[in-house]
Amino acid sequence: TRVGAGTQQTSLTAPTNQQVFILSETISTAQHYIINRGGAVVNSTPVQASINYTASVFIKYREGYHEWVQFSLGANGFGSTNFLNFNLVTGQFGNSSGIASTPQATLFSDGWYRVSFTVTTLANATASNNITIAFTNNTNTLTRLPSYTASGGGSVYVSSAQFERG
């Protein structure tokens, strides 16, 4: 289930003074995530093979039972097993796979975190520059993009996602 681009929140300000979006869990049995893809066509912007790329995003717990979220990068460029779990309430990292360096979480005012992590592209990487933020049924899962029966009871704030080489 693709949640979509989220709903813009106008009464909340991120530490970067950029737009803030609310990502809400859908009610279904499926994967629950949002994907931010670059380029005019889905997966159109190429990544270079065997190079480190860093993703970062400002994120904040909003409501419901979703303290845990998961970040990952596109499977065609970074492999189908890369992921990083993060607890939005405690600021702690959980299980991860395929992360090239120690992830960073910086706490800002009002409960905002800037989470950043680096992943190395595959030797045969193709165009795949998307950042995925997934709900994890509030568990520190060992599965990338877990599927579960949702209650629709969770949402998070997201702002200022970045994806860059290096």
Side-chain angles (χ1 to χ4, degrees), residues 99-122:
I99 305 301
S101 63
T102 303
Q104 303 292 316
T106 305
L107 178 61
F108 286 77
S109 62
D110 197 27
W112 281 97
Y113 285 95
R114 180 181 182 266
V115 176
S116 63
F117 59 98
T118 301
V119 180
T120 304
T121 53
L122 300 170

Side-chain angles (χ1 to χ4, degrees), residues 2 22 38-39 48 77 83 101 104 138 159:
R2 183 173 175 185
I22 299 171
Q48 291 181 321
F83 71 88
S101 63
Q104 303 292 316
N138 203 34
S159 183

Side-chain angles (χ1 to χ4, degrees), residues 57-144:
V57 64
F58 280 85
I59 192 163
K60 177 182 175 178
Y61 174 82
R62 181 174 181 246
E63 66 181 0
Y65 70 101
H66 282 293
E67 294 178 12
W68 285 97
V69 293
Q70 184 181 92
F71 303 97
S72 63
L73 298 177
N76 292 337
F78 299 91
S80 61
T81 61
N82 78 83
F83 71 88
L84 173 65
N85 294 330
F86 182 71
N87 188 302
L88 293 168
V89 175
T90 66
Q92 300 297 309
F93 289 105
N95 294 315
S96 66
S97 175
I99 305 301
S101 63
T102 303
Q104 303 292 316
T106 305
L107 178 61
F108 286 77
S109 62
D110 197 27
W112 281 97
Y113 285 95
R114 180 181 182 266
V115 176
S116 63
F117 59 98
T118 301
V119 180
T120 304
T121 53
L122 300 170
N124 60 348
T126 59
S128 182
N129 67 346
N130 54 298
I131 301 171
T132 302
I133 301 171
F135 290 108
T136 67
N137 199 20
N138 203 34
T139 60
N140 181 18
T141 182
L142 287 169
T143 305
R144 183 178 188 263

